[in-house]
Each structure stands twice: as structure tokens, then as C-alpha cells.
Amino acid sequence: MFDINQLFSPLSWAEFISEYFEKKHLLISRNDPHYYDEVVTLEDVDEVIFSQKINHPAFRVVDSKTGEFPDPRRYTQNGTSSINPVEFCREYTEGGTLALAGMQHHVRSLRAFCNNLQRAYGHPTQTNLYLTPQDAQGFSPHYDNHDVIVLQIHGKKHWRLYESDMNLPDKSMPFQKEGFTPGKVFKEFDLNAGDLLYIPRGLVHDAITTDESSLHVTLGVLGYTWSQLLIESVVKLTEENKEFRHFVSEGMRSTDYDQHFKTLLSKLEEDLRERNGISRFSKQLEEQTPSENVGHLLNLIDSSSNQGPEEFAIIEGVSLEENGEAISFKKGFKEVSFPIFCKNTCEELVTHGERFSRSHLDKELDDEGVDVMISRLLREGIIKRV
């Protein structure tokens, strides 16, 4: 499996966050066309198109001359949204870019990579794949209102970055194509297979192919902003406190205004601290992250075979928390609790989380207790057999 720490190599994750994230673009050239083979390949794309049911508008065509989306009836079946794979690929041979959204739902290795990226970032991600023929362009110069990480999978593409006054737009500030004129190009380069490009939101860019076709993955980072955190808290407080629902009186004395303002700010600060929006967002993200627990059904069917020298592993995204008289495994909003006397055993399990056996669970429990804990953790999807 592709290690998320390889993504920005030779930079560390910490170096990327401190020096580039939300600040400036990053170009990493590697001279290694197979660098992303464990993430997704051109063969994976071919298999998805011709072996799975795919639909418009998740999969669509971009006209290389206009940047617009041609009539999907040219490559869908009998007026439905179901795509005819042969006609879809014909659009590519005629110069169109194939735009494939949500490919992490079709390719298991890409899903695992995106899940790990979400956990590292702490924000949701989305994927779009673009397969572009020679001498073509997908979209004209534009900016995105989410951060973009480009992985060049196959071939090469020529990129241009433009001067722009737009700085970190959010989802309420989408790009408007009509009347837009890009600034001066300040950097041009080829992105070859194995290379990476990070584009912070608001940076205007475009890309074209020349003498080679191109397949690249665009990873969109759909971050939580401070404004979202504040807005959510204000909405919640408005439901719970009438002070937030009073009309603002034009005749209010300045002293009364100041006092009411201080009261509202005090409640807002208290709410933000107590409810810890960052922690809540993290739980929501983990809850929405697609499962990677392949084999869980087999674990349930074979649950009678908990005896013996089997080995197990904790599922990604599981944490351990102590709460009064209980010790709990948590994944998103899911919680699996055991009595506090199992604390040492649970901590041992987490310590050996990548691979552990029954022997790691017998510190405080007899054989029957070990069976109960293993069965429950398997049933609840907290651990898996390896």
C-alpha cells in the first residue's frame, strides 16, 4: 500500500504543512513513472470503464476546444444516464478529455489512499481523474475554491500558473468564467508521470497536452474553515439561547449594546471551547470516510473460529479513550466500551495495533474474557483478522 508519507517526498508532511500549505504552490519532479502504481494506474481506469456500471454526470467529457461539456447523449445509452463505454472512449479519440469523478468509489487502492490522506489532513477529500489526448486542453485558465494536489499517473502535461489577486476563496466564492481575464503567467513546466503539483485555492492555472496523452489525479481538499466553525456555533447557540434571538434595537444605548455584545461573545467563546469544533469535525469526517474493512463479512461468518494462534489488526481511524468507569474504542461517532478493569489489556491491544495475537489480550482476562473481547471487537468492526 502507498504510504501517505511518500506523497510529498523528499519533503516530510510537517515541512509541507509549514512551508507550502495554504501559502504557495509546490512542484516535485521525481523521474519515476511508476511512483503511483500502488494508488491507481491507467489499467485501473480501463477496467472501471469496461467492467463497472458508470453514469453521467460523474463520468463526462470535456470539449478540448471550448472547455464545455458536450451533450451526454453522444455517449450514454438510450437517453439514460448510463454510459456506453465504447462511445465514451470514442470521445477521447476525437479529442475530448474524459473526466472521471469519484474514482475512489471504484478503485480500492485509491479509496485507501484517500482515506489516509483525509486522516492526515483532517479534512474531506475528493478525486477527479482526467484522461486527455495529445494536443488538447481540458479547462481554460481558472482557480478552484479548494486546495488541489495533482498526481501525474501517465504521460505528461504542460502547466501554467498565473498571477492572481484571489487569496484562499471558500465555497461561497466559486470561479466565474464569464468575463474572466487571467493575469501574467509566472511559471510554466511539464508534469511527468510520478510528479506532484500542489495548488492552493485561488491560484489561477491551466494545463495542456503536447506530444503525449496524459492521465492525472486531482485530489481536492475540501477543508473546514474558521468561518464554518463560528457559523455552526452561532446557529446552535441561537437555538438554545434567546439572547441570540433578540432584535437589534436601533435606539439601544451604547452601554446596553456593549453589554449585550459581551454576553454573546462570552457564550460563543464558552461554546467553542466546550464543544471543541475541531474534534467534532474529526468525528464527522471519520464517520463519513468509506470503510476499508474488507473481510468483515468473512469475520462474522467465521466468528466461531476465535480459538487458536490467529493474528488481528485494529482498523484505521480507531482511538482509545478512558471515561470514568469505562474504557472505549472510538471510530467517528461509534463507541465500543469495556469495564475499566480492561484498561491495560485495551492499551496493550492499541500498542500492538498493526498486528497482535490472543497473547496480548490475556493480561487481565481469562480465556473466556479474551473470547468475548475478540468476538465483540470483530463484530463491531474495530479489529480484523490478518
Side-chain angles (χ1 to χ4, degrees), residues 91-105:
E91 296 288 333
Y92 169 82
T93 65
E94 295 178 356
T97 290
L98 305 187
L100 319 174
M103 278 288 283
Q104 74 273 19
H105 302 306

Side-chain angles (χ1 to χ4, degrees), residues 130-262:
Y130 297 97
L131 180 61
T132 306
Q134 298 177 16
D135 301 312
Q137 179 174 17
F139 297 108
S140 57
H142 67 283
Y143 68 78
D144 296 295
N145 57 3
H146 54 263
D147 285 17
V148 167
I149 303 171
V150 178
L151 313 181
Q152 188 68 28
I153 304 300
H154 169 81
K156 71 177 181 181
K157 211 163 194 180
H158 185 76
W159 287 77
R160 294 177 292 216
L161 306 181
Y162 298 79
E163 293 177 351
S164 173
D165 295 329
M166 181 59 70
N167 192 9
L168 301 181
D170 67 10
K171 62 182 181 181
S172 69
M173 306 162 67
F175 175 73
Q176 302 292 337
K177 182 177 179 179
E178 186 174 350
F180 175 76
T181 302
K184 290 175 56 178
V185 174
F186 71 87
K187 192 169 184 67
E188 289 191 66
F189 51 88
D190 286 337
L191 206 64
N192 295 289
D195 294 350
L196 174 143
L197 173 63
Y198 165 71
I199 304 175
R201 55 196 184 277
L203 179 57
V204 177
H205 58 277
D206 69 351
I208 60 174
T209 54
T210 53
D211 57 344
E212 291 186 41
S213 59
S214 165
L215 173 67
H216 77 262
V217 177
T218 295
L219 299 164
V221 182
L222 313 176
Y224 298 121
T225 64
W226 282 101
S227 64
Q228 287 176 274
L229 191 64
L230 291 169
I231 290 168
E232 186 195 54
S233 185
V234 169
V235 169
K236 182 69 173 175
L237 287 168
T238 300
E239 295 174 354
E240 298 173 350
N241 298 270
K242 68 177 183 180
E243 290 88 352
F244 283 80
R245 302 194 297 269
H246 282 301
F247 286 159
V248 178
S249 174
E250 187 175 337
M252 181 181 289
R253 294 181 304 173
S254 61
T255 53
D256 292 337
Y257 179 90
D258 290 345
Q259 183 57 48
H260 197 75
F261 187 64
K262 288 178 182 178

Side-chain angles (χ1 to χ4, degrees), residues 3 11 39 50 66-67 73 94 124 139 150 156 159 211 234 247 301 310 354 376:
D3 187 339
L11 295 180
V39 178
F50 284 94
T66 66
R73 287 176 294 184
E94 295 178 356
F139 297 108
V150 178
K156 71 177 181 181
W159 287 77
D211 57 344
V234 169
F247 286 159
I301 294 172
E310 298 168 295
E354 291 187 2
R376 187 172 180 209

Side-chain angles (χ1 to χ4, degrees), residues 273-286:
R273 293 184 184 279
E274 285 186 358
R275 295 199 301 134
N276 191 346
I278 295 176
S279 173
R280 187 170 64 259
F281 281 144
S282 296
K283 290 180 180 179
Q284 290 174 352
L285 178 62
E286 189 61 46

Side-chain angles (χ1 to χ4, degrees), residues 259-379:
Q259 183 57 48
H260 197 75
F261 187 64
K262 288 178 182 178
T263 299
L264 298 182
L265 283 183
S266 176
K267 288 182 178 293
L268 178 60
E269 180 180 3
E270 180 182 358
D271 182 73
L272 289 170
R273 293 184 184 279
E274 285 186 358
R275 295 199 301 134
N276 191 346
I278 295 176
S279 173
R280 187 170 64 259
F281 281 144
S282 296
K283 290 180 180 179
Q284 290 174 352
L285 178 62
E286 189 61 46
E287 190 77 7
Q288 295 163 4
T289 300
S291 174
E292 303 163 47
N293 193 6
V294 177
H296 181 64
L297 178 61
L298 299 180
N299 286 333
L300 298 180
I301 294 172
D302 199 27
S303 60
S304 61
S305 62
N306 287 338
Q307 305 293 331
E310 298 168 295
E311 291 190 322
F312 308 89
I314 294 181
I315 297 300
E316 289 284 346
V318 173
S319 62
L320 187 65
E321 294 183 19
E322 182 178 346
N323 183 16
E325 296 302 311
I327 185 82
S328 302
F329 293 93
K330 292 188 174 182
K331 181 175 171 60
F333 292 103
K334 185 182 185 65
E335 185 171 325
V336 180
S337 299
F338 294 93
I340 196 64
F341 66 77
C342 298
K343 176 181 177 180
N344 290 339
T345 301
C346 293
E347 288 177 344
E348 281 290 315
L349 188 151
V350 171
T351 299
H352 301 278
E354 291 187 2
R355 187 176 289 269
F356 64 90
S357 63
R358 293 168 56 85
S359 63
H360 295 114
L361 302 179
D362 62 7
K363 305 292 183 181
E364 302 146 322
L365 305 176
D366 57 20
D367 288 345
E368 183 178 357
V370 170
D371 289 344
V372 169
M373 179 173 279
I374 288 179
S375 295
R376 187 172 180 209
L377 293 176
L378 283 171
R379 186 174 67 250

Side-chain angles (χ1 to χ4, degrees), residues 116-130:
N116 289 334
L117 182 63
Q118 287 187 166
R119 295 186 183 106
Y121 255 119
H123 296 285
T125 61
Q126 67 179 20
T127 64
N128 292 299
L129 271 68
Y130 297 97

